[in-house]
C-alpha cells in the first residue's frame, strides 16, 4: 500500500490559486447538474456534553474521479481553551481502489472553496463591469470571498461592514496589505456597504437580515454564503422580493439547510417555483445567467462536499507535482 500524503494548512496554501479553485468548483457544480456526482446530505453529530457539533460531508465526483470526506467540527467554547472554534480535515480517497491518498488540514481549504463558489456565481451572474464590492462579515470566510470576486471582476473598492467595528477595521488593514490594488474601507452602518455595491457578499451567521433590500441598486449581484441552518437568515424577504433570479448550489441541500429560503417558504412569501436554477445548470449553459443589466441576482450556497473533493483533488495533484507534504505509512 502506498503512503498517505499529509498536508498542513500552510502547505495547502502553497498549492492552488483562487482562479484554479474557481475552475475546480465550477467543474464540480457542472458534474452535479449533469448527474455525475454522488452527494449525500451532510451528517450531523451533536456533542452536546461539550457544546459542539461535528459534520461529516462525503462526496464522489466523476469529473476528477475522486471521492472523499470532510470532517468539520464547530465547538464554540474552544477559544476559552486556546483553540479555534472551527477545525476540519479532508480525507481524499482513490475512486478506483478506495485507498487513502491524502489527509489535509481543511479550515483554509473550506475558506478557499467557499470563496471559489462565490467566484463561480459572480462569473455568471454579476455585471461585467462590477467595481464596488460590499462585504458583510469580517470573519474567517471574508478574505477569500473578496479574493474570489476580485479574480473574476475588476473590483476597485470594497466596503466592509461587521457588527464589531474593530473587527471590520482590522480586516481592512489586513486586506490593504494583501490586495493593494483595491481600496478598502470600513462601513459605519449597513447601508454604506449596500447603496453603491455592484456585488455584495454576506458571510455572517446572523439569524436576522443584515441589510435592507430597499437599498439595493438595480443590477446588484448578491452572494449569500454565511447562513447554513434553517434558523439563520442573513438575506431578508424584502431582498428576495426584488431578486430576478434566485440561484442555489443544490436545491436539495438548500431546502434542508438554507434559512434564507426555508423561512420565506414556510411563510408562503416564496415558492419553489421562485428558485431559478442550480448554479451547475448555468455553468452547463442549460439556463442563462445574467440577461439584463438591471436585474438583481442572488446566489445562495450552504456549502457542498463536492466543492471540498474537487479542490482537495487539485491540491493533491499540485502537491505531488511540487513535492509538497509528508508521506505517512499506514502499515
Amino acid at each position: 500500500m502506498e503512503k498517505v500524503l499529509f498536508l498542513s494548512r500552510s502547505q495547502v496554501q502553497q498549492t492552488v490559486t483562487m482562479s484554479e479553485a474557481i475552475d475546480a468548483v465550477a467543474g464540480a457544480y457542472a458534474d452535479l447538474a449533469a448527474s455525475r456526482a454522488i452527494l449525500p446530505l451532510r451528517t450531523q453529530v451533536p456533542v452536546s456534553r461539550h457544546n459542539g457539533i461535528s459534520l461529516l460531508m462525503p462526496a464522489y465526483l466523476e469529473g476528477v474521479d475522486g471521492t472523499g470526506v470532510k470532517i468539520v467540527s464547530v465547538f464554540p467554547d474552544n477559544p476559552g481553551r486556546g483553540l479555534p472554534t472551527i477545525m476540519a480535515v479532508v480525507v481524499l480517497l482513490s475512486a478506483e481502489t478506495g485507498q487513502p491518498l491524502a489527509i489535509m488540514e481543511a479550515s483554509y481549504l473550506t475558506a478557499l472553496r467557499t470563496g471559489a463558489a462565490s467566484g463561480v456565481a459572480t462569473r455568471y451572474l454579476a455585471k461585467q463591469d462590477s467595481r464596488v464590492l460590499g462585504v458583510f462579515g469580517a470573519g474567517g470566510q471574508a478574505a477569500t470571498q473578496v479574493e474570489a470576486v476580485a479574480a473574476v471582476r475588476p473590483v476597485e473598492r470594497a466596503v466592509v461592514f461587521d457588527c464589531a467595528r474593530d473587527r471590520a477595521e482590522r480586516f481592512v488593514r489586513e486586506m490593504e496589505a494583501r490586495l493593494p490594488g483595491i481600496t478598502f474601507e470600513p462601513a459605519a452602518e449597513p447601508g454604506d456597504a449596500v447603496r453603491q455595491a455592484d456585488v455584495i457578499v454576506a458571510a455572517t451567521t446572523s439569524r436576522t437580515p443584515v441589510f435592507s433590500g430597499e437599498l439595493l441598486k438595480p443590477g446588484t449581484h448578491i452572494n449569500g454564503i454565511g447562513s447554513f441552518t434553517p434558523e439563520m437568515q442573513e438575506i431578508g424577504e424584502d431582498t428576495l422580493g426584488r431578486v430576478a433570479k434566485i440561484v442555489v448550489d443544490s436545491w436539495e441541500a438548500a431546502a434542508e439547510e438554507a434559512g434564507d429560503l426555508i423561512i420565506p417558504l414556510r411563510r408562503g412569501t416564496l415558492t419553489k417555483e421562485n428558485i431559478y436554477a442550480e448554479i451547475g445548470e448555468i455553468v452547463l449553459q442549460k439556463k442563462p445567467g445574467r440577461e439584463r443589466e438591471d436585474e438583481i441576482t442572488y446566489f445562495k450556497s450552504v456549502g457542498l462536499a463536492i466543492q471540498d473533493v474537487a479542490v482537495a483533488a487539485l491540491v493533491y495533484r499540485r502537491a505531488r507535482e511540487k513535492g509538497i507534504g509528508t508521506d505517512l505509512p499506514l502499515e
Side-chain angles (χ1 to χ4, degrees):
M1 181 180 292
E2 293 185 12
K3 295 179 179 180
V4 177
L5 184 67
F6 174 79
L7 294 166
S8 67
R9 177 189 178 101
S10 63
Q11 290 169 332
V12 171
Q13 290 175 313
Q14 297 173 44
T15 57
V16 174
T17 67
M18 177 56 76
S19 293
E20 290 173 327
I22 290 171
D23 290 341
V25 170
Y29 286 145
D31 271 3
L32 182 64
S35 300
R36 297 193 301 261
I38 297 174
L39 181 63
L41 288 174
R42 73 183 91 199
T43 298
Q44 299 188 8
V45 184
V47 188
S48 55
R49 180 181 179 185
H50 299 290
N51 189 30
I53 187 170
S54 292
L55 308 172
L56 282 71
M57 302 171 59
Y60 165 74
L61 275 175
E62 187 175 308
V64 299
D65 196 26
T67 186
V69 60
K70 182 170 78 174
I71 305 170
V72 56
S73 296
V74 183
F75 280 67
D77 297 336
N78 273 359
R81 304 182 179 103
L83 296 170
T85 299
I86 300 174
M87 292 184 278
V89 295
V90 165
V91 180
L92 187 68
L93 310 174
S94 165
E96 182 179 357
T97 66
Q99 176 180 323
L101 298 176
I103 300 169
M104 61 187 75
E105 196 279 338
S107 57
Y108 172 74
L109 187 145
T110 298
L112 178 65
R113 63 80 147 155
T114 306
S118 289
V120 174
T122 302
R123 176 186 285 171
Y124 289 96
L125 294 169
K127 294 185 298 182
Q128 290 292 330
D129 63 346
S130 296
R131 299 181 187 278
V132 180
L133 174 62
V135 181
F136 284 85
Q141 297 290 334
T144 53
Q145 290 294 313
V146 175
E147 289 178 350
V149 174
V152 296
R153 289 296 183 268
V155 176
E156 297 175 350
R157 186 160 67 96
V159 185
V160 183
F161 179 82
D162 193 284
C163 56
R165 172 75 183 218
D166 60 335
R167 186 162 55 194
E169 292 174 345
R170 184 169 60 251
F171 178 77
V172 164
R173 292 192 297 271
E174 292 171 353
M175 294 306 294
E176 284 174 337
R178 193 162 167 173
L179 295 174
I182 298 175
T183 300
F184 289 85
E185 57 189 78
E189 50 94 16
D192 294 341
V194 176
R195 293 186 183 92
Q196 300 179 60
D198 301 304
V199 177
I200 291 173
V201 170
T204 78
T205 55
S206 178
R207 289 174 177 252
T208 57
V210 295
F211 62 82
S212 169
E214 295 178 357
L215 302 177
L216 293 165
K217 70 176 185 180
T220 304
H221 170 63
I222 305 159
N223 294 310
I225 64 94
S227 56
F228 61 92
T229 74
E231 298 77 29
M232 295 178 181
Q233 189 186 22
E234 61 182 354
I235 303 299
E237 290 162 83
D238 59 339
T239 293
L240 298 186
R242 297 192 61 195
V243 168
K245 288 186 173 78
I246 299 174
V247 179
V248 296
D249 51 7
S250 158
W251 166 247
E252 184 181 15
E256 290 287 329
E257 300 173 346
D260 307 71
L261 304 180
I262 292 170
I263 292 170
L265 282 167
R266 287 175 178 167
R267 290 175 177 167
T269 59
L270 185 74
T271 68
K272 184 177 179 181
E273 288 67 36
N274 295 131
I275 310 301
Y276 173 69
E278 290 185 344
I279 188 65
E281 296 177 280
I282 297 175
V283 173
L284 288 176
Q285 299 184 335
K286 291 183 176 181
K287 292 184 178 181
R290 174 170 290 272
E291 296 179 276
R292 303 191 319 273
E293 283 290 294
D294 65 341
E295 66 182 351
I296 296 173
T297 54
Y298 168 52
F299 171 63
K300 177 57 198 166
S301 173
V302 293
L304 305 176
I306 56 169
Q307 300 164 246
D308 298 299
V309 171
V311 176
L314 181 58
V315 166
Y316 175 72
R317 292 199 301 274
R318 292 286 186 269
R320 284 300 191 199
E321 292 167 2
K322 297 179 179 180
I324 295 173
T326 303
D327 282 315
L328 301 175
L330 286 182
E331 293 182 338

